[in-house]
Amino acid sequence: MDVNRIFGLDPQTLADTCITLVAMLVLFILLSYLLFNPARKLIQKRKELIQAQLNEAEDTRKQAIAMKQDYDGRLAQVEEESAALLTEARKKAKARENEIVAEANEEAHRIIQRAEKEVALEKDKVRDEMKQEMVQVASLMAGRFVAESMDEATQARLIDETLKEMGDETWQN
């Protein structure tokens, strides 16, 4: 052994080193094919899955924003419809109020007319009764007056003639 060298590079060591390097290269290629490629594929699939989830999340966010805008639009529309319904209900209530007042006025007018007719009928009835009483009083007075001066047949004839001359129109005024 030669002491001058740092380590001995004899042909056997060089051959062993070359064989070891070739074996390591083969191992690296084999492990790369068996381990690294599946790991790379797994990592690539994982990246694609994460990207798909991010894209789906973005789509979901966009849909949520669109739904929120749609909801806000519908809510505004519902508020407008609600205001329109309230306005329409107020108009209907006011129209119904006016209708009820008009019906009440008509009913009051009918009651007044009915009362006036009843009063007129009562006046006519009182007039008829007064007419009959006046006829009776006149008969009695004429009867006493004529009884002293004439007989009953003449008296009846005079009363009939007087009534015919006066007629019904005199008593209906």
Side-chain angles (χ1 to χ4, degrees):
M1 287 208 168
D2 201 5
V3 186
N4 293 345
R5 297 188 296 178
I6 299 177
F7 62 94
L9 282 180
D10 56 358
Q12 180 67 36
T13 308
L14 282 177
D16 287 343
T17 304
C18 283
I19 291 175
T20 305
L21 284 175
V22 169
M24 282 181 58
L25 182 63
V26 169
L27 263 176
F28 179 75
I29 292 172
L30 183 66
L31 287 178
S32 174
Y33 181 74
L34 293 176
L35 295 177
F36 292 141
N37 284 341
R40 282 187 197 131
K41 288 180 184 176
L42 182 67
I43 290 172
Q44 185 62 32
K45 285 182 182 177
R46 184 74 177 150
K47 281 182 181 180
E48 290 172 359
L49 177 68
I50 290 171
Q51 188 61 41
Q53 287 176 343
L54 287 174
N55 291 342
E56 185 179 334
E58 182 65 22
D59 290 344
T60 304
R61 186 183 70 81
K62 287 178 182 177
Q63 287 176 353
I65 289 172
M67 288 176 67
K68 183 183 181 295
Q69 289 174 346
D70 184 47
Y71 172 77
D72 289 343
R74 286 184 182 181
L75 186 61
Q77 183 181 4
V78 165
E79 288 175 358
E80 289 173 5
E81 288 176 4
S82 172
L85 287 174
L86 284 174
T87 302
E88 185 65 28
R90 285 185 187 117
K91 286 179 183 177
K92 285 182 181 178
K94 188 67 173 174
R96 182 67 181 139
E97 175 189 357
N98 291 339
E99 186 178 307
I100 289 172
V101 168
E103 287 175 4
N105 286 338
E106 285 181 26
E107 184 66 24
H109 186 67
R110 282 194 299 263
I111 290 172
I112 290 171
Q113 286 179 341
R114 197 176 318 132
E116 287 175 352
K117 286 180 183 177
E118 288 178 7
V119 166
L121 289 174
E122 193 65 33
K123 282 182 182 179
D124 289 343
K125 184 178 173 186
V126 169
R127 270 192 213 131
D128 287 343
E129 288 176 2
M130 262 172 55
K131 193 181 347 176
Q132 295 216 354
E133 276 187 43
M134 287 174 65
V135 168
Q136 286 178 356
V137 169
S139 274
L140 285 174
M141 285 176 52
R144 286 186 184 163
F145 179 72
V146 174
E148 292 181 13
S149 62
M150 73 173 82
D151 65 346
E152 283 186 29
T154 309
Q155 180 183 357
R157 185 180 51 77
L158 285 174
I159 290 174
D160 286 338
E161 287 175 9
T162 306
L163 286 176
K164 284 181 186 175
E165 286 176 13
M166 291 175 56
D168 288 336
E169 291 180 19
T170 307
W171 297 106
Q172 289 180 358
N173 292 334

